[in-house]
Amino acid sequence: MRLLATWMFMFYLFCAHSSAAQVIVNDSAIDFPLPAQELRLIFSMQKVYWPDGHKIRVFILAPGSDLHKEFCFQKLDMMPYMLQRRWDRLVFSGTGERPVILKSETQMRELISSTPGAIGYVGDSVSVTGGSYVYNR
């Protein structure tokens, strides 16, 4: 029993120090933090316009990437496959589209800062400057 408790404690310490995903948005999009429910609606492509009327452009990393999985678990509080199913349902029914899939965090940062109404995420280690707003929930 002591061995199990030790391993669980070690696992907790390892997970607690992993890098957390940060949501980033273009400066033109919003000027306030979004609640978790609104983030879920945006990244599941169910909310398509910002309150000021601009179209929301959603950018994600590859669905198999570790940062994408971490983002889904921590910020959206959902499993990555659930998000994929929602996108598939929207696309196949003709009522929506998938987000734009990017190859790297650097590309994510560049596109978000240059695309009005854009939203995405990066890891803790990536600094965001000029044209983007970062916030943590």
Side-chain angles (χ1 to χ4, degrees), residues 1-17:
M1 186 66 162
R2 184 176 285 171
L3 182 61
L4 177 63
T6 303
W7 279 105
M8 289 177 68
F9 179 72
M10 294 295 284
F11 181 72
Y12 170 76
L13 288 177
F14 177 77
C15 290
H17 295 293

Side-chain angles (χ1 to χ4, degrees), residues 5 11-12 25 28 30 38 55 76 89 95-96 99 104 106 122 124-125 134:
F11 181 72
Y12 170 76
V25 295
S28 69
I30 60 168
E38 193 156 345
K55 183 156 177 59
L76 302 181
R89 191 176 318 123
T95 59
S104 69
T106 305
V122 292
D124 266 345
S125 61
V134 178

Side-chain angles (χ1 to χ4, degrees), residues 23-36 38-39 42 47 49-53 56 119 133-137:
V23 175
I24 60 172
V25 295
N26 184 277
D27 281 342
S28 69
I30 60 168
D31 56 355
F32 58 90
L34 296 168
E38 193 156 345
L39 274 179
I42 289 171
K47 180 174 182 171
Y49 292 101
W50 292 112
D52 65 359
I56 298 174
I119 187 169
Y133 172 71
V134 178
Y135 74 91
N136 289 316
R137 173 169 62 111

